Amino acid sequence: MFDALLVNRELDDDSDFLPMLSMDEGQDTIADDQYPGHLPILALKNTVLFPGVVIPITVGRDKSIRAINEAYESSKLIGVLSQRDVKVENPGAEDLYQIGTVAQIIKILRMPDGTTTAILRGQKRFELGNMLQESPFMEGSIRVLPHPDNIDSLEFEAQISTIMDLSQRIVELSPNIPQEAIAMLRSIQDNSFLLNFISSNMNSKVEVKQQILEYHDLGQKASLVIHEMSTQLQLLELKDKIETRVRGDLEKQQRDYFLSQQLKTIQEELGQNPQEEEVNSLEARAKTKLWSEAAAKHFDRELTKLRRMNPQVAEYSIQLNYLELMIDLPWQQFSEDNFDLKRVKKVLDHDHFGLEKVKERILEHLAVLKLKGDMKAPILCLVGPPGVGKTSLGRSIATALDREFVQMSLGGLHDESEIRGHRKTYIGALPGRIIQSMKKAGSGNPVFLLDEIDKVGRDFRGDPSSALLEVLDPAQNDHFHDNYLEVDYDLSKVLFIATANSLSTIQPPLLDRMEIIEIGGYSMEEKVEIAKRHLIPDQLKEHGLKANQVKISKKALKKIVQEYTRESGVRSLNRQIAALMRHVAKQVAMDETPDPNIDEAEVASVLGITPFSPELYKEVPSPGVAVGLAWTQMGGEILFVESSVSKGTGRMILTGNLGEVMKESATTAMSFIKAHADELGVDTEKLEKSDVHVHIPEGAIPKDGPSAGVTMLTALASVFTGKPVKPYLAMTGEITLRGKVLPVGGIKEKILAAKRAGMKEIILCKENRRHVEDINADYISGLKFHYVGNMQEVLTRAIS
């Protein structure tokens, strides 16, 4: 607003007008009845002429020039109307607003460039009647509108006062408008002219200005003017705020630069130079590093580059951070391994109960290392269900070896750069997490735990598991290349330990580079012992209790394991023990004296209704039902296979949310029965005229795998022969069309699940005998095992 008060531009009927002078609308000496009934019409683009305002117009259109000349030669009066659409080049009556301003032509100037400029002064508002002609110029009949009546009210005075205040604020925020503009506005006595003058100078749309012109009531005019001025004031205030902030930032940068230069000059006068001291410090530290010749040359080259850099540029700090990373990395700095194998065994036994196979493997590695003095570290992969202690085992190994321990979680990792790092040319580049972890360890031979390696993602950002191939290959990880570091780094002395819940999602090349050590689920006896040795002492410490305040009996622990948990590990057991500790802690905090002895009744009182039944199996004498053993990531479970026959055409119906492999096992079992019907004592006519339905509860849980093959064949043979399966008997194994029984995995978990469910006999493949022998005999006491090689043996032992 008010920019027009300063800048003198040429304007024509195609552009915004520029008020040059102003006069009081009340000074008009022409009476309303002295105005002619018709006048030449001048169309204006992008602006509205208000009464009392003087503007220069550079006329461009031929019709407009003719209208100006005609009016100047007669009464010097012309009707000025604004166009509705500025794009119309030859407007007619329908293209113009109906209310405009009668203007007096003060002077016409013929410019040297051939253009015509007319100086107009607004007189009275008028309303267009009929357009008498449109060529060679527009002429129309008019009706002069009366002068608005002055309003004598407190509300109108408040509106005028508000307009003056807004005007003053706008002038203050506009650097191109002189302060004298406020004094000029305050000198205007006629409120109607004041509103017209301010409206003509506002940076508002033509539609808004036309609306102000058409209002006869001064109060309405004032309200709309206040609204427009408030909007423009908000824009000016926001612009001023932005300019102030930017100006402040620039001033701060200049101030910091000048202070930095002054400080640099002072330091140079005192013989000090911080940048030189940083470079000298890096150089001195580099002399103590035991790195390779290639790494030393690379560091010297990068250090020389740092010396040539201006400390004020952003690249200086990037280069400085890079050199500090190189120095902080442990190049050929190794911690001394502890070769006291008896002490190592003691530490491992103290931290973890059971896991004998894993402990034995660690001791074998240390024994070879002790005898040979140097051996590329193998990559161990601990595979097992959640909660069996895979992650904590890595920490115990580090403690036993007196090595540093670092852990890197790979779950959900998608970006390959997380492993190999980003190139230094990228903004915000960082080294990969392998190099970052080595810097954190401060040693070149830590125990490095790669947690959840089976959950590495793969998408458009890259394949991190492929990047791990170099890391986990003992033949090439002695020259691991990180994109950020740019020089090879030796990882061959690092003892990598990976953990996984399943091997099915790990890439075969990556799996081939690791030594797989399976960790099975814990038996009830092992869980009770782990709870006594580790879980209860840890929870006592976590809850601020003393050992004499809580004593959980062995029977109570067995009840928790059997009735409140269903898992291979001990995480759920740990949570249940924590619930007991919270119960006791609340009583102690309330100054009560709780009984420290927690028995089975107290467990039931605190933990509530048991979610699991210790005896899942109930004797089912009816034919067609067999019990199988299944493995899940949460441990082993027993699986009922139910079958029934009805009159039909030989169809087989499978239900229970079965996977493709399990469906194929059912089809194979059915084909075997049809092929050996006579040997099995099955009526072939019954096979052809009966539909068989095989169902595996629970129907909502997905099930898949080949290990239910023998169970399905047994259930089908039972239902077709009408003989029930032997009670308290479970089985697992894969079958072939020839009737062979093949071995399956997860034997320990399956056997422990069978014992939990109260089973007494188990049928397994002969080749699974070695898996049973690995289990502590005390944990499977009371179970009888039958090892078979074909389905004839299974049916002989299973169907009475």
Side-chain angles (χ1 to χ4, degrees):
M1 179 186 174
F2 300 137
D3 291 347
L5 291 172
L6 275 185
V7 184
N8 186 5
R9 302 177 297 174
E10 286 189 353
L11 296 171
D12 59 15
D13 48 338
D14 297 335
S15 60
D16 292 337
F17 73 88
L18 182 63
M20 297 296 294
L21 302 169
S22 62
M23 63 172 290
D24 196 328
E25 192 177 355
Q27 293 178 358
D28 182 21
T29 57
I30 303 177
D32 292 352
D33 56 359
Q34 294 179 348
Y35 285 95
H38 58 86
L39 288 174
I41 302 299
L42 176 65
L44 291 182
K45 290 182 180 180
N46 297 321
T47 191
V48 177
L49 175 62
F50 286 85
V53 177
V54 178
I55 61 172
I57 295 290
T58 300
V59 185
R61 289 186 287 213
D62 184 62
K63 291 172 64 173
S64 299
I65 294 174
R66 291 176 181 271
I68 288 287
N69 291 333
E70 176 67 23
Y72 191 72
E73 292 173 359
S74 56
S75 62
K76 290 185 170 51
L77 296 177
I78 189 169
V80 179
L81 294 172
S82 298
Q83 286 186 208
R84 297 179 183 273
D85 186 357
V86 298
K87 296 179 181 179
V88 178
E89 291 298 330
N90 187 21
E94 68 279 0
D95 300 315
L96 304 175
Y97 288 103
Q98 298 301 300
I99 293 179
T101 303
V102 177
Q104 181 183 5
I105 303 174
I106 299 175
K107 192 171 184 179
I108 295 179
L109 303 175
R110 311 295 179 183
M111 308 305 291
D113 59 358
T115 59
T116 300
T117 298
I119 299 177
L120 307 179
R121 177 168 66 87
Q123 295 282 353
K124 293 283 188 178
R125 297 183 306 142
F126 76 92
E127 182 178 8
L128 179 66
N130 296 324
M131 187 67 75
L132 303 178
Q133 66 176 44
E134 293 189 3
S135 180
F137 59 86
M138 289 188 291
E139 185 177 2
S141 61
I142 67 168
R143 182 176 66 86
V144 176
L145 300 177
H147 186 278
D149 298 328
N150 286 324
I151 301 176
D152 187 12
S153 68
L154 289 176
E155 181 180 358
F156 184 65
E157 290 181 8
Q159 288 177 319
I160 296 299
S161 177
T162 301
I163 290 173
M164 295 304 297
D165 292 341
L166 290 172
S167 300
Q168 182 174 350
R169 181 62 180 150
I170 289 173
V171 171
E172 291 173 352
L173 291 175
S174 302
N176 296 327
I177 301 178
Q179 298 297 316
E180 291 78 4
I182 295 297
M184 184 193 69
L185 291 175
R186 293 190 183 280
S187 66
I188 299 175
Q189 300 299 319
D190 189 346
N191 292 333
S192 176
F193 172 67
L194 176 65
L195 294 175
N196 287 338
F197 181 74
I198 290 177
S199 300
S200 67
N201 285 279
M202 289 191 305
N203 295 325
S204 299
K205 296 181 179 180
V206 173
E207 294 83 356
V208 177
K209 291 186 176 183
Q210 180 67 29
Q211 188 177 4
I212 295 174
L213 177 67
E214 293 179 359
Y215 279 147
H216 180 74
D217 183 81
L218 293 181
Q220 291 179 312
K221 284 179 181 284
S223 296
L224 188 52
V225 170
I226 290 174
H227 178 269
E228 289 297 307
M229 293 179 70
S230 299
T231 302
Q232 294 182 23
L233 178 59
Q234 290 177 0
L235 292 175
L236 284 172
E237 288 176 340
L238 181 59
K239 179 181 177 182
D240 181 70
K241 182 178 179 181
I242 294 173
E243 290 178 349
T244 301
R245 184 167 63 245
V246 173
R247 186 167 54 252
D249 292 342
L250 291 175
E251 290 174 354
K252 183 179 183 302
Q253 291 178 10
Q254 292 176 350
R255 178 177 175 273
D256 292 345
Y257 175 75
F258 287 130
L259 290 176
S260 175
Q261 292 299 315
Q262 290 176 356
L263 179 61
K264 180 179 179 182
T265 303
I266 293 172
Q267 290 172 339
E268 288 177 351
E269 290 294 329
L270 295 175
Q272 300 175 354
N273 190 330
Q275 285 74 35
E276 189 64 28
E277 291 177 2
E278 284 180 342
V279 174
N280 293 336
S281 175
L282 290 173
E283 190 174 22
R285 292 173 60 190
K287 292 180 180 179
T288 64
K289 304 301 291 186
L290 302 175
W291 43 28
S292 63
E293 182 179 352
K297 288 182 178 179
H298 182 78
F299 179 84
D300 292 339
R301 185 166 55 252
E302 296 296 323
L303 187 64
T304 303
K305 187 185 300 183
L306 180 69
R307 291 183 187 274
R308 295 196 300 264
M309 282 186 179
N310 184 349
Q312 303 301 324
V313 300
E315 288 78 6
Y316 183 86
S317 60
I318 296 175
Q319 186 71 4
L320 182 63
N321 291 336
Y322 173 73
L323 292 174
E324 288 180 345
L325 170 70
M326 285 196 68
I327 289 182
D328 290 338
L329 282 174
W331 301 85
Q332 302 298 321
Q333 295 174 247
F334 307 116
S335 59
E336 186 176 352
D337 287 332
N338 189 333
F339 292 116
D340 186 351
L341 300 187
K342 293 182 179 179
R343 175 186 175 276
V344 173
K345 187 175 186 305
K346 184 178 180 181
V347 171
L348 294 177
D349 289 339
H350 176 269
D351 291 345
H352 289 81
F353 181 78
L355 306 179
E356 301 301 331
K357 185 178 180 181
V358 182
K359 297 174 187 176
E360 188 68 23
R361 177 64 187 86
I362 298 300
L363 290 174
E364 290 172 357
H365 167 68
L366 290 179
V368 175
L369 188 62
K370 181 178 181 179
L371 296 175
K372 187 173 182 292
D374 180 31
M375 183 182 74
K376 285 184 177 291
I379 285 77
L380 307 179
C381 183
L382 308 179
V383 182
V388 296
K390 300 185 297 296
T391 302
S392 60
L393 185 63
R395 192 179 300 274
S396 296
I397 293 173
T399 303
L401 298 177
D402 284 344
R403 288 191 180 190
E404 297 294 330
F405 176 76
V406 287
Q407 179 179 352
M408 176 179 170
S409 179
L410 299 175
L413 191 69
H414 289 83
D415 194 348
E416 180 184 342
S417 298
E418 291 286 333
I419 305 295
R420 292 189 176 277
H422 305 80
R423 299 192 182 278
K424 285 193 303 179
T425 52
Y426 296 125
I427 296 175
L430 289 172
R433 291 171 64 182
I434 299 291
I435 293 298
Q436 292 183 41
S437 299
M438 295 302 297
K439 174 186 173 182
K440 178 182 177 181
S443 169
N445 62 338
V447 174
F448 201 124
L449 184 70
L450 299 170
D451 211 8
E452 308 290 356
I453 198 171
D454 58 325
K455 297 176 179 61
V456 176
R458 180 180 182 181
D459 59 14
F460 64 92
R461 285 168 287 187
D463 184 8
S465 60
S466 296
L468 286 172
L469 294 177
E470 180 185 1
V471 177
L472 299 183
D473 190 346
Q476 57 179 316
N477 64 5
D478 57 344
H479 50 271
F480 171 71
H481 183 81
D482 184 274
N483 292 328
Y484 182 86
L485 188 60
E486 295 182 343
V487 288
D488 293 341
Y489 189 81
D490 186 4
L491 296 175
S492 61
K493 303 296 189 297
V494 179
L495 177 56
F496 285 103
I497 299 178
T499 69
N501 297 127
S502 172
L503 299 178
S504 59
T505 57
I506 302 177
Q507 283 193 21
L510 184 60
L511 193 63
D512 184 61
R513 284 165 167 78
M514 298 186 293
E515 182 175 340
I516 306 302
I517 300 179
E518 294 186 0
I519 302 178
Y522 294 117
S523 65
M524 184 190 67
E525 291 80 3
E526 287 176 315
K527 291 181 180 179
V528 170
E529 195 64 30
I530 290 171
K532 289 170 59 179
R533 295 189 182 190
H534 302 286
L535 303 184
I536 293 177
D538 290 346
Q539 290 298 335
L540 285 171
K541 184 179 179 180
E542 289 291 329
H543 291 80
L545 297 172
K546 298 178 181 178
N548 59 0
Q549 291 177 314
V550 181
K551 295 181 180 179
I552 304 177
S553 67
K554 190 172 183 179
K555 290 184 178 180
L557 288 175
K558 287 184 177 181
K559 181 178 180 66
I560 296 173
V561 171
Q562 290 180 328
E563 300 183 23
Y564 290 91
T565 65
R566 183 60 51 81
E567 59 178 347
S568 294
V570 292
R571 282 206 181 103
S572 181
L573 174 60
N574 195 33
R575 286 193 291 268
Q576 301 300 336
I577 293 175
L580 295 176
M581 296 295 176
R582 288 194 300 271
H583 176 72
V584 176
K586 183 188 73 171
Q587 293 178 313
V588 173
M590 297 175 67
D591 297 328
E592 299 178 5
T593 307
D595 184 0
N597 298 311
I598 297 179
D599 54 13
E600 297 172 274
E602 185 71 9
V603 167
S605 174
V606 175
L607 300 183
I609 300 175
T610 59
F612 305 108
S613 172
E615 294 292 335
L616 286 177
Y617 177 78
K618 302 298 180 185
E619 186 174 351
V620 183
S622 60
V625 181
V627 180
L629 299 176
W631 180 90
T632 69
Q633 289 192 359
M634 298 305 296
E637 293 182 358
I638 67 169
L639 201 68
F640 288 90
V641 177
E642 304 172 349
S643 60
S644 64
V645 293
S646 58
K647 290 184 179 181
T649 58
R651 290 187 310 149
M652 183 169 66
I653 303 170
L654 302 173
T655 57
N657 201 353
L658 309 184
E660 291 299 323
V661 176
M662 192 168 282
K663 290 178 181 179
E664 291 172 359
S665 296
T667 304
T668 303
M670 193 65 193
S671 298
F672 179 83
I673 290 177
K674 289 180 179 180
H676 301 82
D678 294 338
E679 301 174 27
L680 300 176
V682 177
D683 186 359
T684 55
E685 184 178 355
K686 185 178 181 181
L687 284 172
E688 295 175 356
K689 297 182 179 181
S690 300
D691 289 342
V692 60
H693 184 174
V694 178
H695 176 70
I696 301 180
E698 303 166 2
I701 300 176
K703 311 170 191 70
D704 203 4
S707 59
V710 295
T711 315
M712 288 184 172
L713 181 52
T714 302
L716 290 171
S718 172
V719 74
F720 279 112
T721 59
K723 299 178 181 179
V725 178
K726 188 177 181 180
Y728 298 99
L729 172 70
M731 60 193 74
T732 183
E734 183 179 357
I735 60 169
T736 69
L737 280 176
R738 296 175 296 162
K740 296 290 183 182
V741 178
L742 304 181
V744 292
I747 295 300
K748 181 180 180 181
E749 287 78 8
K750 293 177 179 179
I751 292 175
L752 295 178
K755 186 176 182 182
R756 282 198 307 266
M759 308 305 292
K760 298 178 181 178
E761 298 180 54
I762 298 177
I763 296 178
L764 298 170
C765 174
K766 292 179 179 179
E767 296 181 33
N768 284 129
R769 181 191 294 268
R770 56 191 177 90
H771 297 102
V772 178
E773 292 174 352
D774 283 342
I775 305 174
N776 191 322
D778 295 335
Y779 302 157
I780 55 177
S781 61
L783 286 176
K784 184 178 181 181
F785 295 93
H786 303 284
Y787 301 103
V788 298
N790 56 64
M791 277 307 302
Q792 293 292 352
E793 298 179 58
V794 174
L795 297 178
T796 300
R797 298 181 183 276
I799 298 178
S800 55

